[in-house]
Amino acid sequence: MSRAYAVVAAAAGAGLVLFAASRPWAGVAPAERTGADLYPWLSAAALLALAGAGALLAVRGSGRILVGVLLAAAAVAIAGGAVHALATDVRTGWLLLVAVGGVGPFYGGVMAIRGRDWTTTGDRYERPGATTGPAAMWDALDRGEDPTDR
């Protein structure tokens, strides 16, 4: 269940950052500038987090740890954008949503790094204790067994 929470948190946080970065942060109409105009890496980091949320469903082992590290790095970049905006006197409510949205990918990344026991997409179709793979099937054929008759 923690995998589902991690995926949803990372995707929701990334979506929130993408939405907030697309809103006007500075200037007066018609010269308004969005958060993505002021800080282009916000959208890139949010898209990376969104892709990482999807990847958490398919990767396993060291790949999952790598995706978790990338999610956490994306969250740090998002937080860096929020901190930099505060330091340069950008005051907007959208900035708060960016900061809140950055928590989701960070949570998803930390959970992915800690989620060594998560199953992968195809694991539900495997029998418990079964040896799988082409080598195991060829070995069964060599012994005269039908590997599909189990």
Side-chain angles (χ1 to χ4, degrees):
M1 193 63 163
S2 62
R3 179 175 67 168
Y5 291 143
V7 170
V8 169
L16 189 60
V17 171
L18 281 172
F19 176 73
S22 69
R23 306 291 109 203
W25 282 21
V28 180
E32 293 177 334
R33 298 187 68 191
T34 66
D37 293 336
L38 297 171
Y39 305 102
W41 73 85
L42 282 177
S43 296
L47 289 172
L48 175 67
L50 194 58
L56 283 180
L57 296 172
V59 296
R60 68 170 96 185
S62 60
R64 183 176 296 140
I65 293 171
L66 177 64
V67 171
V69 168
L70 288 174
L71 279 171
V76 168
I78 291 167
V83 168
H84 187 269
L86 282 174
T88 57
D89 292 329
V90 173
R91 301 288 186 252
T92 179
W94 300 116
L95 184 58
L96 178 63
L97 286 181
V98 167
V100 169
V103 173
F106 188 78
Y107 172 80
V110 169
M111 293 306 295
I113 292 168
R114 296 180 58 205
R116 288 181 173 41
D117 60 338
W118 290 355
T119 60
T120 57
T121 306
D123 286 349
R124 79 175 100 190
Y125 303 109
E126 300 296 329
R127 288 183 307 143
T131 57
T132 60
M137 293 179 77
W138 283 112
D139 290 341
L141 286 172
D142 288 342
R143 289 189 303 270
E145 300 172 12
D146 181 4
T148 61
D149 186 34
R150 292 183 182 188

